[in-house]
Amino acid sequence: MEILLSQLFNGLSGGSILLLAALGLALTFGQMGVINMAHGEFIMAGAYTAYVVQGVLGDAGLSLLVSLPAAFVVGGLLGLALEALLLRRMYHRPLDTLLVTFGVSLVLQQLARDVFGTAGVDVAAPGWLSGPVEVLGFAFPKTRLFILAIAVAAVVVLSVLLAFTPLGRRIRATVQNRALAETSGISTRRTDRTTFFVGSGLAGVAGVALTLMGSISANLGTAYIVDAFLVVVVGGIGQIKGAVIAAFVLGVAQSWIEYSTTASIAKVVVLALIVVFLQVRPQGIFVVRTRSLA
Amino acid sequence: MNLKALLTGRWAVVGGFALAAVLLLVVAPALLSSFRLGLLGKYLCYAMVAVGIGLAWGRGGMLVLGQGVFFGLGAYIMAMHLKLADAPASTGVPDFMALISSDGVPVWWEPFRSGVVTVLAVVLVPSAVAVLLGLATFRRRVRGAYFAILSQALAAAFAILLVGNPRSTGGSTGLNNFKGFFGFSLRDPANRLMLYVIAVVALLAMVAVARQMMVSRYGELLVACRDAEERVRFLGYDPAVIKTVAYAVAAAMAGVAGALFVPIVGIVSPNDVGIVPSIGLLIGVAIGGRTTLLGPVLGAIAVAWAETSLSERFPSGWTYAQGLVFMLVVAFLPGGLASLRRRPPGAAQPSPVPTLSGSSR
């Protein structure tokens, strides 16, 4: 029972990281069908932002609070640049965006290696996040709880944004029916750009969270990008709640299977489970109903 | 070589094959040193994978991001056989296993003691995996991006599995240090030349198979599936089967390529099968022209050659170049270099690359 609970917490913690990595993807993939492989490198850019901010400010607590918005802006601007320079001309062939953004991710990784070196760098966690906290008799690391809190906050903010703001209405309209949204006077171009900024910014935030987990290096993003995409595939397109459920289910499943086998076998089993799941629900957990045939 | 004539005229085809055979089998061995010839043999292995990718991706519209898995399956099956054949007769345990543990050979290695089983498995195991995944996804109409992501996840999982089991797969070092190939010593230059010749013959055979598939009725159906899958379904065909066949053939080609890669290069490791090498295999296909027959082959050879010659001198420069080529070619020249030559000025041509028409979302 105790093991079950601690694995559950490990799973929730892993799921929250997955969720942070996948949230932005769910947004951009859902709205534009763009498969952004460079999303992982935006995560890395966020992590290195935290490293640079800490180098400038020194104090670990203050720099963490500063780097969260800073990384959001850095990730967002990278996304904006990618959208404006490359992806804008490729919306009619979404599969090719995967290869283009893979090229971008190669370049960004090499850039990070040349700037920050190939060795991993560390970002110090602030004092108020060190050590464990006791919950129900279990010791949980505070950093992991903090990441969980960031993930929950990101989901809440994003849901409120989507549900109640004019921007959110425009985004939802574009996801559901792009042509109709356009005829109704919505600038889908501008909506796309904003969505990409927000989605990529969330990757930056995820990067800051990852600095609390260990040292960071240029291939930080590659470790998360595939799992993040799987979350989007399982969760279904265009809905935040699908991504939330998928991330936590995958996180918990991974951690439980990992406990009874090994990490590498758990990966394969989870992938097999996903393929089986897609037999039942090929479009993921939640589907935005449209009248399109395919 | 005019590609169009090559694809239409029967004699042009025969002539083209004869020319390629003479170039690769007579001219190249005469001009190149044994070392360079070995490198060329390695490029030819990548070209074999590219033939399959051209079929599945260019013609079938399936973005196959996990060809490294099939390449790796073929390579590891062959490597297991070679390791078992090299093992001392007294114990039958390959050298690296004897070093790590005393458990002996895992059960699932045993079938590959037999050369016949190995040769069959190199073709059948990758295609069986592809049929399984293909039917599971295509029958439920999981396609486009979803299929691409799943095939990519497969590559990631396969590499992780290999790294995670060092006792049976050699872990991150992989399997290497092979001494013989079906009884022939790999030290002997004559035998290495023989391996090169086998690679050339295999590649030419695959190109012939791919061409035959492309010009057949099946090839028409495959292109139709790519461009308007629903219409193919309404006409009474099953797109899932059509696509799975192309996927399985591509997988078998990658498997054979992997199996030849092992004796030619002398090592296979998880670095050859993961996500990055799997997507890297696509770059040559994209440059050469994904929908053409020879574009993928020439593109793959050129990219592999460029990688060896550039990455030695500018290790980080090569990564930049690779990334930039991906960005520029796919974004601005989606038909690859082949599309430059085939378009007469002013003539309207059908798009060399499928656009989103109900098949990818």
Side-chain angles (χ1 to χ4, degrees):
Chain A
M1 189 60 199
E2 286 185 17
I3 290 159
L4 216 63
L5 268 180
S6 77
Q7 288 304 314
L8 181 69
F9 178 76
N10 272 342
L12 288 180
S13 161
S16 63
I17 294 166
L18 266 184
L19 179 59
L20 271 178
L23 211 49
L25 273 182
L27 209 58
T28 52
F29 183 58
Q31 179 172 339
M32 288 164 267
V34 164
I35 312 170
N36 182 13
M37 287 291 284
H39 194 79
E41 277 55 51
F42 295 168
I43 295 178
M44 169 199 76
Y48 275 115
T49 306
Y51 172 70
V52 171
V53 167
Q54 187 158 83
V56 174
L57 291 178
D59 177 56
L62 180 67
S63 71
L64 178 63
L65 296 180
V66 172
S67 42
L68 281 172
F72 183 84
V73 173
V74 168
L77 289 179
L78 281 173
L80 218 50
L82 177 67
E83 207 273 346
L85 293 176
L86 284 170
L87 298 182
R88 190 164 56 87
R89 37 189 109 242
M90 311 189 53
Y91 283 138
H92 58 289
R93 42 193 179 104
L95 272 189
D96 282 2
T97 59
L98 194 153
L99 296 174
V100 169
T101 51
F102 179 74
V104 175
S105 90
L106 283 181
V107 170
L108 286 179
Q109 273 183 42
Q110 191 59 39
L111 210 60
R113 255 178 239 125
D114 288 349
V115 174
F116 297 101
T118 44
V121 295
D122 283 299
V123 179
W128 43 271
L129 277 181
S130 66
V133 65
E134 291 268 328
V135 182
L136 301 170
F138 299 105
F140 295 138
K142 278 183 192 163
T143 47
R144 287 186 164 247
L145 283 178
F146 185 69
I147 295 175
L148 193 62
I150 296 181
V152 171
V155 170
V156 169
V157 170
L158 199 58
S159 308
V160 168
L161 181 90
L162 285 178
F164 299 114
T165 64
L167 171 66
R169 249 192 321 274
R170 284 199 295 273
I171 290 179
R172 278 183 292 138
T174 312
V175 170
Q176 282 171 21
N177 194 327
R178 179 170 290 265
L180 193 56
E182 225 157 284
T183 39
S184 312
I186 293 173
S187 165
T188 52
R189 280 287 315 126
R190 200 185 301 159
T191 312
D192 283 349
R193 265 201 303 268
T194 322
T195 311
F196 223 88
F197 180 81
V198 174
S200 309
L202 284 171
V205 173
V208 178
L210 284 179
T211 61
L212 298 170
M213 304 281 299
S215 63
I216 48 176
S217 61
N219 51 11
L220 178 77
T222 47
Y224 292 93
I225 187 73
V226 175
D227 288 345
F229 268 122
L230 287 178
V231 166
V232 177
V233 167
V234 172
I237 286 182
Q239 302 247 347
I240 298 300
K241 59 183 174 187
V244 174
I245 295 172
F248 285 117
V249 167
L250 288 188
V252 171
Q254 168 84 22
S255 121
W256 267 337
I257 300 169
E258 197 173 310
Y259 178 73
S260 39
T261 57
T262 63
S264 58
I265 291 180
K267 282 260 183 221
V268 179
V269 173
V270 167
L271 177 65
L273 288 178
I274 290 173
V275 173
V276 172
F277 169 77
L278 289 177
Q279 299 297 302
V280 190
R281 289 196 73 91
Q283 306 293 336
I285 302 175
F286 294 109
V287 195
V288 177
R289 293 218 172 271
T290 63
R291 283 166 179 269
S292 73
L293 189 58
Chain B
M1 264 194 299
N2 185 328
L3 215 72
K4 204 157 198 170
L6 202 85
L7 269 168
T8 47
R10 181 173 292 265
W11 285 109
V13 174
V14 175
F17 265 96
L19 183 68
V22 169
L23 273 178
L24 286 169
L25 289 175
V26 180
V27 179
L31 291 181
L32 297 174
S33 68
S34 161
F35 172 70
R36 292 280 155 198
L37 207 61
L39 281 181
L40 184 57
K42 178 177 157 184
Y43 306 159
L44 295 183
C45 293
Y46 291 133
M48 292 177 214
V49 186
V51 174
I53 294 178
L55 197 66
W57 180 36
R59 292 280 164 152
M62 293 167 271
L63 184 50
V64 284
L65 293 178
Q67 290 308 90
V69 173
F70 307 123
F71 183 83
L73 280 173
Y76 271 90
I77 286 169
M78 179 57 76
M80 284 192 282
H81 174 68
L82 298 187
K83 281 319 260 187
L84 287 170
D86 286 347
S90 52
T91 58
V93 179
D95 48 5
F96 81 99
M97 268 186 205
L99 281 178
I100 302 178
S101 77
S102 54
D103 294 348
V105 182
V107 187
W108 52 273
W109 273 59
E110 290 298 342
F112 305 112
R113 279 193 198 282
S114 148
V116 180
V117 171
T118 304
V119 171
L120 287 177
V122 155
V123 179
L124 294 182
V125 171
S127 10
V129 173
V131 167
L132 212 65
L133 185 71
L135 285 181
T137 51
F138 300 140
R139 257 213 333 237
R140 295 297 296 160
R141 308 187 195 178
V142 174
R143 59 200 167 204
Y146 279 40
F147 172 74
I149 291 165
L150 280 182
S151 70
Q152 187 182 28
L154 188 69
F158 187 57
I160 291 169
L161 202 59
L162 288 173
V163 175
N165 295 289
R167 258 187 300 177
S168 44
T169 65
S172 49
T173 11
L175 300 175
N176 54 18
N177 198 16
F178 310 107
K179 295 183 185 69
F181 179 72
F182 290 88
F184 297 97
S185 164
L186 286 172
R187 299 261 160 72
D188 188 345
N191 290 339
R192 301 192 62 80
L193 181 65
M194 173 192 75
L195 275 170
Y196 168 79
V197 170
I198 293 176
V200 172
V201 172
L203 177 63
L204 290 178
M206 286 181 197
V207 172
V209 168
R211 179 189 176 274
Q212 213 48 46
M213 288 179 76
M214 283 180 185
V215 298
S216 68
R217 279 164 53 94
Y218 168 78
E220 299 285 323
L221 274 174
L222 187 63
V223 173
C225 276
R226 177 192 75 188
D227 293 341
E229 189 171 329
E230 293 299 337
R231 288 195 199 180
V232 175
R233 200 189 311 280
F234 293 160
L235 287 172
Y237 296 99
D238 185 355
V241 174
I242 296 167
K243 287 160 84 175
T244 304
V245 168
Y247 189 40
V249 169
M253 288 177 175
V256 173
L260 289 171
F261 180 89
V262 161
I264 288 176
V265 179
I267 180 171
V268 61
S269 75
N271 286 334
D272 299 314
V273 307
I275 290 181
V276 174
S278 292
I279 303 185
L281 289 168
L282 287 165
I283 191 172
V285 181
I287 292 178
R290 60 181 92 156
T291 58
T292 61
L293 176 65
L294 292 180
V297 176
L298 300 177
I301 294 177
V303 168
W305 171 78
E307 173 161 18
T308 354
S309 33
L310 286 180
S311 64
E312 284 164 12
R313 266 173 286 172
F314 323 99
S316 78
W318 166 247
T319 315
Y320 285 126
Q322 205 182 7
L324 282 174
V325 167
F326 254 121
M327 285 152 65
L328 299 180
V329 170
V330 180
F332 299 100
L333 194 65
L337 292 178
S339 65
L340 288 182
R341 184 188 39 193
R342 284 201 303 172
R343 192 178 304 151
Q349 281 258 334
S351 161
V353 163
T355 52
L356 180 71
S357 51
S359 61
S360 309
R361 281 294 277 272

